[in-house]
Amino acid sequence: MLIGEFRHNLDPKGRITIPSKFRDDLSVFVMTKGLDNCLFLYPKDQWEKIENKLKELPMTNKAVRSFVRTFFSGAVDCVLDKQGRVLIAENLRDYANLEDKCVIIGLSNRAEVWSEDNWNKYNEEEALSYEELAEKMSELGI
């Protein structure tokens, strides 16, 4: 299971070390543009589930076409090197504003890579309080 928050730096070649706790789940994975200017890292089995769901959506819907184009065009198959690192493609680094300090978070079935600045800003400005989020989740039956 992918859980926790870890801080790592990009090396000069644009590689990031995947936390050792995540390496079993992310030895082979797909990286793509996420929401809120982060990157999504999906283990292969989770990627296939998402891919299958997206294939079922109506391509006659303009929003679906736009989302699918962005989601799949930014996707990259990834394999960790012997040191547990992965190269982040330049277009994905640009999208997520990744320059040096990064935060990798686990969200059960996927991980996200954030620039440290974006992650801090998200937590300070955009995130609801934990209590407000819990209330909204209870509205969804969770």
Side-chain angles (χ1 to χ4, degrees):
M1 182 181 342
L2 301 166
I3 56 174
E5 178 179 316
F6 304 88
R7 295 177 186 269
H8 290 277
N9 291 336
L10 279 178
D11 71 12
K13 295 181 180 180
R15 297 175 299 194
I16 193 167
T17 301
I18 298 297
S20 58
K21 186 177 178 182
F22 290 0
R23 291 183 195 164
D24 285 342
D25 291 318
L26 295 176
S27 59
V28 178
F29 63 98
V30 176
M31 181 184 307
T32 193
K33 294 175 182 177
L35 304 175
D36 304 312
N37 288 95
C38 73
L39 302 179
F40 288 170
L41 282 58
Y42 287 100
K44 271 297 201 185
D45 63 327
Q46 292 299 317
W47 175 259
E48 290 168 1
K49 289 178 185 178
I50 297 286
E51 182 180 22
N52 288 332
K53 287 181 181 180
L54 291 174
K55 285 179 186 177
E56 299 300 318
L57 297 175
M59 287 296 120
T60 55
N61 182 305
K62 185 176 181 174
V64 169
R65 289 192 310 272
S66 294
F67 179 82
V68 168
R69 285 180 184 133
T70 301
F71 193 71
F72 284 107
S73 68
V76 179
D77 287 313
C78 298
V79 178
L80 298 180
D81 68 13
K82 292 178 184 177
Q83 287 80 34
R85 299 172 302 191
V86 65
L87 175 66
I88 300 177
E90 186 175 357
N91 66 314
L92 293 177
R93 290 193 312 262
D94 291 344
Y95 171 80
N97 305 313
L98 301 176
E99 294 177 5
D100 182 30
K101 296 181 180 187
C102 300
V103 179
I104 303 170
I105 62 170
L107 299 169
S108 181
N109 65 342
R110 75 169 189 272
E112 294 180 351
V113 179
W114 290 75
S115 74
E116 186 177 68
D117 289 342
N118 285 357
W119 178 245
N120 291 339
K121 181 188 279 187
Y122 174 81
N123 281 302
E124 292 169 7
E125 297 174 4
E126 296 179 27
L128 297 172
S129 76
Y130 194 55
E131 290 79 14
E132 289 171 321
L133 289 170
E135 186 177 323
K136 293 207 179 285
M137 296 304 288
S138 70
E139 293 169 8
L140 297 172
I142 296 178

